[in-house]
Amino acid sequence: MSDSREQILEQIKLQGDLVRQLKGAKESKEKIDEEVARLLALKAKLGGDVAPASQKFTLKTPKGTRDYGPQQMTLRQGVLDKIVQVFKRHGGEAIDTPVFELKEVLTGKYGEDSKLIYDLKDQGGEILSMRYDLTVPLARYLAMNKISSIKRYHIAKVYRRDNPAMTRGRYREFYQCDFDIAGTYDPMLADAECVKIVSEILDTLEIGDYVIKLNHRQLLDGMFEACGVPAESFRAICSAVDKLDKSPWADVRKEMVTEKGLDEATADRIGEYVRLSGGTELVEQLLADPKLKAVPNAVKGLEGMQLLLKYCSIFGLDKRVRFDLSLARGLDYYTGVIYEGVLKAEPGSRSSPAKSAQQNGEPAEQATVGSVAGGGRYDNLVGMFDPRGKAVPCVGVSIGVERIFSVLEARFAASKVKLRTNDVEAYVASAHKGLHEQRLRVLNQLWDAGIKAEHSYKLNPKLLAQLQHCEEHQIPLVVVLGDAELAQGLVKLREVTTRQETSVKLEDLPAEIKRRQQA
Amino acid sequence: MSDSREQILEQIKLQGDLVRQLKGAKESKEKIDEEVARLLALKAKLGGDVAPASQKFTLKTPKGTRDYGPQQMTLRQGVLDKIVQVFKRHGGEAIDTPVFELKEVLTGKYGEDSKLIYDLKDQGGEILSMRYDLTVPLARYLAMNKISSIKRYHIAKVYRRDNPAMTRGRYREFYQCDFDIAGTYDPMLADAECVKIVSEILDTLEIGDYVIKLNHRQLLDGMFEACGVPAESFRAICSAVDKLDKSPWADVRKEMVTEKGLDEATADRIGEYVRLSGGTELVEQLLADPKLKAVPNAVKGLEGMQLLLKYCSIFGLDKRVRFDLSLARGLDYYTGVIYEGVLKAEPGSRSSPAKSAQQNGEPAEQATVGSVAGGGRYDNLVGMFDPRGKAVPCVGVSIGVERIFSVLEARFAASKVKLRTNDVEAYVASAHKGLHEQRLRVLNQLWDAGIKAEHSYKLNPKLLAQLQHCEEHQIPLVVVLGDAELAQGLVKLREVTTRQETSVKLEDLPAEIKRRQQA
């Protein structure tokens, strides 16, 4: 249709040489101008600035980000659809917020992690940052619109300048799927429902066996107090405990003592508690613990856990949840229940986690890895945005879908199953030359009947090439046009897998295709 | 569950006073430290840094952006679902790309508009910018992955530091819905299908009468050449012509002459052409035009238009399309066919566009306003990314959904219809106190059967409040629990609109609710 870029670049080169030659020969201004105009016209043909410099950069997406091709999008859409179904089953309504916020909105909400926030350049105007999660934007939205109760879900990308481990599903740009319940309600009813939602989602996605760890920030604070941690160190010690899912106790203890200045006896007392995990019997044991009994925060936290475990039991989750004192969660804003859904097997070793762990030279008990959901209660965050400090208590859960995508992508790669990435029901093919207008007529008839249909964009494609396209793209039906049949008002309808062909009246074609779909 | 923010702030104030008092009285360090620790513990309770400064900023979203609440999301999801259905009907596959790109990817692709690109702050590492459209990221994706043919759609937000007119659906962060066909094919087959897609989408959305304007960049260039425009001014004159949809010819002519240095006679010759619009007869008339006939680009463009109009006619679009020489499109990268879908009536005056225009003191002919779709062919863009300049010809269309949302939002606001924002099928209510655990049991039964169900998160809500919630949220069924019925294994099932109640066996409840859904 138009000259190729190579041809134009070649012409530009020649024309540039000519202009230099004329200038060198001091030709008339008129003549030089004429040739310069030709040169500029050639450059204009390239459809923009000619920026040869722009050819030099590496063709890539920004660090920690990736494109999703059709295969990945199909997988992703399938996962997100299932998650949304669960959110809606629990009465969730959708909202969306801008991808960036005024920088001040994010300031002071993430503790140590604030250094990972992406800032926008100051181009005159407001100072903006990319959202770091969907929770702070929700709190801003609730305060700004004076909403005191909502059950909302939000599926969107968030941004963290982290050191990504992309093979393990960790990115700088990644999806979060959040469900939160805001409102002043009676204890643990909404919290238990969030735990139920995590289990429904992990069940429906069938990504393997999992456990939902539960803990309570008030209990953690009470336990720190009982162990003798100074109050101003609670958050720092909490963030050290949070590392227990990746590091052994010895390393965490070292961080507490050398970096965070805790005395060794205090650290050891914490060590006794954080290795505990269990169910209601553990709550009762701790309620009888003399050190904890003396601390009101610890008692309140334990009573909360007791109620939560009771509701989880009604929801049929006894075998799914585990009260775990080592669970701390990184973010500063939690004030009550916290939880985390953890896959028991590493991606790719679903059937035999113990074996895989042993192959890696780790003990089988360590096979519990891979947080795929997390959340908790944050009762004071909305109040930080309200001019009068009016609080809206919230509890919510965030599904770590990137990790889930990674697990499923690895599984699909291993199974060598190719996902269908289009929904085309019928391909319209020419049996011989000169039929492209007839093809367009048949396509138009199918589209207007709501049938998903496509064809080759070549005037005279080979029949074999058209049939191969259908096999490659898993299109079930081919409408084959030929002059002889068309003269009788007929077309051939061919089933791709069986290669069976039937003659169908052109006018009946849409109805026949729909009938085959249902069969 | 925990103290309110107000209470904590008050405690912090009192504790702060105490610390200052002790310091003033030069009390022992030990005593002061103890009270400082209490103060810090209180501050820690607020769940993060106490940043009183952060209370001072205005609670808002960044300029030109907005939140979508549940009503808007419901409307938006309905529109996007319909658009995706059309994209899939034409065999589209989904892809997604990161929200930002290396800045160099965007450099030199948008001409004058490049100043509207959002840049990210240099925080050490790569220099990034927010995507300005979905077309350049597609071209980068194709070149990077060496893909030479694809039919893809992409629905995502793009970013432009424009002066937004938000009431008219113009934002700095806004959705684009793009469908593009990449590949080396025969002329106009893919191009005509894009025009068909625009018409299917505008038909299915029922947003009012519309016209799809068609033109050709090669014809425009040829026409400029025939009128005597210097080649290096083609793009500048093209962007002046692009303003004809908003400004009268006199203003555009003035821009050409005074700003872009065109002589008056040339401008007048352009003026003769750009007021022409019509169908195939106009193409034939122009093919016979002596000035145009002499210019190869003009003839090629006209022949392309002729073929496009023929295919559009086969697709039943004779009454929808109009060849319009004033259509120019702003972006630099187009090389062939260009088109734009335009609503004939202003939002809110759909039934009577002429009348609304007259009320504004404008002639009735001016009532054609509101571009809601646009696109064209860009054969050289992918080549700009390929290290060897290998071209992948592309043609595509972008649906201006923000404008469509605005039109539909205005219509819903006027009709006072309240959209349902949740899908809850059954609400589980208590007839009297003390039934919350039974409620949880019934809910669990419904959720496990896949039924969308919710309840109050209060232990003992009033029955009237529960029924009102259902009416407000348009929930069709209420399951009412009461001790007397539960003792017999029964619950009441109430239809919210008719207020009819039936007794149902608890074990039959999920099946009965599903039966009512289908009825």
Side-chain angles (χ1 to χ4, degrees), chain B residues 69-104:
Chain B
Q71 287 271 325
Q72 291 149 326
M73 281 298 278
T74 305
L75 194 69
R76 180 176 106 177
Q77 205 50 55
V79 169
L80 296 183
D81 285 349
K82 285 180 180 175
I83 292 174
V84 167
Q85 218 174 359
V86 175
F87 288 164
K88 287 190 169 179
R89 193 182 300 152
H90 290 266
E93 300 179 309
I95 73 158
D96 194 19
T97 63
V99 79
F100 37 55
E101 295 276 350
L102 299 185
K103 185 177 168 65
E104 299 132 307

Side-chain angles (χ1 to χ4, degrees), chain A residues 213 215 220 223-224 237-253 255-256 270-276 324-329 340 366 368:
Chain A
K213 298 182 187 175
N215 201 0
L220 274 174
M223 184 261 281
F224 294 148
I237 295 304
C238 194
S239 103
V241 170
D242 185 48
K243 290 167 188 159
L244 275 174
D245 59 339
K246 286 171 199 114
S247 314
W249 166 248
D251 292 0
V252 171
R253 182 183 184 280
E255 179 181 331
M256 288 179 177
I270 295 172
E272 291 301 315
Y273 285 115
V274 296
R275 66 191 57 179
L276 299 176
D324 186 328
L325 272 94
S326 73
L327 177 69
R329 307 272 311 145
E340 203 162 283
Q366 291 272 341
T368 306

Side-chain angles (χ1 to χ4, degrees), chain B residues 355-373:
Chain B
K355 187 169 158 239
S356 139
Q358 280 160 353
Q359 281 170 344
N360 295 329
E362 295 167 17
E365 299 80 39
Q366 291 272 340
T368 306
V369 283
S371 163
V372 288

Side-chain angles (χ1 to χ4, degrees), chain A residues 5-6 37 40-41 45 47 49 55 57-63 65-70 73 76 88-91 93-102 104-105 108 117-121 123-124 126 128 130 140-141 143-144 151 157 159 161 173 181 184-186 189-190 193 196 200 231-232 310-311 314-315 332-333 379-380 383-386 389 421 423-424 436-437 440-441 444 447-448 450-454 457-459, chain B residues 2 5-6 37 40-41 45 47 49 55 57-63 65-70 73 76 88-91 93-102 104-105 108 117-121 123-124 126 128 130 140-141 143-144 151 157 159 161 173 181 184-186 189-190 193 196 200 231-232 310-311 314-315 332-333 380 383-386 389 421 423-424 436-437 440-441 444 447-448 450-454 457-459:
Chain A
R5 189 179 160 83
E6 290 101 312
L40 291 170
K45 266 194 178 177
D49 306 347
Q55 302 289 335
F57 68 91
T58 322
L59 213 49
K60 66 185 285 295
T61 61
K63 183 180 177 189
T65 69
R66 61 165 169 175
D67 295 318
Y68 285 84
M73 283 297 281
R76 179 176 108 177
K88 286 191 169 179
R89 192 183 301 152
H90 290 266
E93 301 178 311
I95 75 159
D96 193 19
T97 63
V99 79
F100 38 56
E101 295 276 350
L102 299 185
E104 300 131 308
V105 167
I117 294 173
Y118 276 96
D119 293 327
L120 272 83
K121 191 169 157 183
Q123 292 171 291
E126 297 162 333
L128 307 175
M130 305 288 282
R140 192 267 307 145
Y141 171 80
M144 188 174 130
K151 199 152 60 176
K157 288 175 177 175
Y159 299 87
R161 297 180 57 257
E173 173 186 62
I181 301 172
T184 305
Y185 298 124
D186 284 311
L189 287 168
E193 188 164 335
K196 173 75 179 170
E200 284 183 37
E232 67 273 22
K310 185 186 190 184
Y311 292 159
I314 295 179
F315 287 159
D332 268 15
Y333 49 61
D379 284 346
N380 299 325
M384 290 174 81
F385 290 107
D386 190 90
T421 55
D423 293 350
V424 174
H436 67 278
E437 290 189 18
L440 296 183
R441 266 183 212 101
N444 197 53
W447 290 331
D448 287 353
I451 291 167
K452 302 185 190 83
E454 66 175 7
Y457 297 112
K458 304 210 167 176
L459 291 179
Chain B
S2 52
R5 188 178 160 83
E6 290 101 314
L40 291 171
K45 266 193 176 176
D49 307 349
Q55 302 290 333
F57 70 91
T58 321
L59 212 49
K60 66 186 283 293
T61 61
K63 185 179 176 189
T65 70
R66 61 165 170 174
D67 295 319
Y68 284 84
M73 281 298 278
R76 180 176 106 177
K88 287 190 169 179
R89 193 182 300 152
H90 290 266
E93 300 179 309
I95 73 158
D96 194 19
T97 63
V99 79
F100 37 55
E101 295 276 350
L102 299 185
E104 299 132 307
V105 167
I117 293 173
Y118 277 96
D119 293 327
L120 272 83
K121 192 169 155 181
Q123 291 171 291
E126 297 162 332
L128 307 175
M130 306 286 284
R140 192 266 307 145
Y141 170 80
M144 189 173 128
K151 199 151 60 173
K157 288 175 176 175
Y159 299 87
R161 297 180 57 254
E173 173 186 62
I181 301 173
T184 304
Y185 299 123
D186 283 312
L189 287 168
E193 188 165 335
K196 174 74 179 173
E200 283 183 38
E232 67 271 27
K310 186 185 188 184
Y311 292 159
I314 294 178
F315 287 159
D332 267 16
Y333 48 62
N380 298 325
M384 291 174 80
F385 290 107
D386 189 273
T421 54
D423 292 351
V424 174
H436 67 278
E437 291 190 16
L440 296 183
R441 265 181 213 103
N444 197 53
W447 289 332
D448 286 352
I451 290 168
K452 302 183 189 84
E454 64 176 6
Y457 296 111
K458 305 210 166 177
L459 291 178

Side-chain angles (χ1 to χ4, degrees), chain B residues 230-286:
Chain B
E232 67 271 27
S233 304
F234 283 5
R235 285 285 81 78
I237 296 303
C238 194
S239 105
V241 169
D242 185 48
K243 292 170 186 155
L244 276 173
D245 60 339
K246 286 172 198 114
S247 315
W249 166 249
D251 292 1
V252 171
R253 182 183 186 279
K254 199 176 154 196
E255 180 181 328
M256 289 178 176
V257 174
T258 59
E259 287 176 41
K260 315 241 150 128
L262 216 59
D263 66 72
E264 301 208 341
T266 305
D268 288 336
R269 280 191 292 272
I270 295 171
E272 291 301 314
Y273 285 114
V274 295
R275 66 191 58 178
L276 299 176
S277 78
T280 42
E281 79 299 338
L282 177 59
V283 179
E284 274 152 37
Q285 177 194 320
L286 293 174

